[in-house]
Amino acid sequence: MKHNEKTKITRHIKDFILITSGIFSAAFGFKGFLLTNHFIDGGATGISLLVSILTPIPLYILIVTINIPFIILGYNIIGKAFAIKTSLAILGLALVVATVTFPNVTDDNLLVAVFGGFFLGAGIGLSVRGGAVIDGTEVLAIYLSRKFGTTIGDIIIVINVVIFSAAAYFLSIEVALYSMITYLAASKTLDFIIDGIEEYMGVTIVSSKSEEIKKLIIEVLGHGVTTYKGKSGYGKTGESGNVEIVYTVVTRLELNRLKSEIEKVDENAFVIISSVRDTKGGMVPKRGLKY
């Protein structure tokens, strides 16, 4: 078997495990916490839960029906492979919700809101790591952000304001408030699953002792570096000169150590730190659950 084929099969198996885990986690959040206590989440999931509470239509049917437009939209703006994976993931979630029995864990409202959101967010996050979604809201947000020139976050906020306002009107203000806690727990868990605790930070260092700094990053921290030529200066008539600029990527957990090591070499070094969404290749430790 060729290396590329083996890599592709391994990736498909990993995606399957991630999506399956996500389906069962989300289903547990639904049936173990949210459904029996009439709490909802945001997005397409929240719409499905709200309609299932207000009507006799089963949740598993609503999960499929409400997400169909998002699947079609995903096919048009993201691609065929994404749409197929998402269709299978949503059908799998509906099947598990319809056929698998989960215990009602607790009737305490706060615990329901927090842990229902936790398991639902974990389920959505694991599915995203597997290359699919079980909540199509972000697909709609991507489309609308491109169409109207707004951010994805702004679109999601507007959608959720409408959903929680409907919950307050049709259910009660108390349920809507608890549902907002569910949404916050779900979104924070989703971020953690996707980004992990080891958030990447890009560090740019301008120093006259660039060679020593490069050496400590490579030998002490075990990271790769990129260097490029620049010209330093300040003010309109300030001194200027050529300088070698050092760039590296570390995890947030390593950031303090890097700054301390830089200060030992050059306490006047100019250091710029910025968040990095993700990395590929190089000498950066990879966090778990990559897809």
Side-chain angles (χ1 to χ4, degrees):
M1 184 181 293
K2 294 182 179 179
H3 176 71
N4 288 344
E5 291 178 357
K6 187 177 180 180
T7 302
K8 193 173 181 180
I9 291 171
T10 302
R11 178 164 179 167
H12 284 317
I13 292 171
K14 186 185 292 186
D15 288 350
F16 175 78
I17 293 171
L18 288 169
I19 293 171
T20 302
S21 301
I23 286 170
F24 277 91
S25 178
F28 181 53
F30 283 142
K31 300 187 75 174
F33 294 93
L34 301 178
L35 270 178
T36 53
N37 293 276
H38 289 181
F39 288 174
I40 68 170
D41 183 31
T45 302
I47 297 171
S48 302
L49 285 164
L50 181 60
V51 175
S52 71
I53 293 168
L54 297 174
T55 69
I57 304 173
L59 178 62
Y60 62 88
I61 293 176
L62 291 167
I63 288 172
V64 175
T65 305
I66 289 173
N67 277 292
I68 286 174
F70 301 128
I71 294 171
I72 297 170
L73 197 59
Y75 177 85
N76 291 327
I77 68 173
I78 298 177
K80 182 179 179 181
F82 170 82
I84 292 172
K85 272 188 176 181
T86 295
S87 299
L88 294 174
I90 290 170
L91 287 171
L93 176 60
L95 182 63
V96 171
V97 169
T99 60
V100 179
T101 301
F102 294 96
N104 182 34
V105 177
T106 178
D107 291 320
D108 182 278
N109 286 341
L110 184 58
L111 292 177
V112 168
V114 172
F115 285 96
F118 170 80
F119 284 106
L120 184 55
I124 295 171
L126 288 169
S127 298
V128 169
R129 297 302 293 269
V133 296
I134 52 178
D135 184 309
T137 313
E138 289 200 6
V139 177
L140 176 63
I142 292 170
Y143 172 75
L144 293 177
S145 68
R146 291 178 181 177
K147 189 175 180 65
F148 297 109
T150 58
T151 66
I152 294 173
D154 289 340
I155 298 293
I156 290 175
I157 288 172
V158 170
I159 292 170
N160 288 329
V161 165
V162 173
I163 293 169
F164 291 127
S165 297
Y169 179 79
F170 288 111
L171 301 176
S172 71
I173 292 177
E174 182 177 313
V175 168
L177 292 174
Y178 275 117
S179 296
M180 290 176 69
I181 295 175
T182 299
Y183 169 71
L184 291 173
S187 62
K188 289 300 180 183
T189 306
L190 172 62
D191 290 342
F192 179 80
I193 293 293
I194 293 176
D195 294 332
I197 192 171
E198 293 186 327
E199 180 184 358
Y200 295 128
M201 309 300 294
V203 184
T204 302
I205 306 144
V206 182
S207 170
S208 58
K209 299 179 179 179
S210 58
E211 284 298 325
E212 294 176 55
I213 290 174
K214 281 195 299 183
K215 187 176 180 180
L216 81 85
I217 292 173
I218 294 169
E219 295 183 1
V220 178
L221 295 180
H223 286 284
V225 298
T226 299
T227 60
Y228 49 97
K229 298 295 182 182
K231 189 177 284 290
S232 64
Y234 58 90
K236 293 182 179 179
T237 59
E239 297 179 359
S240 64
N242 294 327
V243 64
E244 188 176 51
I245 300 169
V246 179
Y247 180 81
T248 188
V249 176
V250 298
T251 64
R252 182 178 288 279
L253 298 178
E254 297 171 303
L255 191 56
N256 283 338
R257 185 185 178 195
L258 174 61
K259 289 192 290 186
S260 297
E261 294 293 338
I262 292 172
E263 286 177 3
K264 292 177 185 177
V265 175
D266 182 4
E267 61 181 14
N268 296 315
F270 181 50
V271 181
I272 306 166
I273 302 168
S274 57
S275 181
V276 175
R277 184 66 178 174
D278 204 354
T279 67
K280 182 177 181 180
M283 296 171 66
V284 181
K286 302 307 289 180
R287 52 194 177 214
L289 296 175
K290 287 298 296 173
Y291 79 90

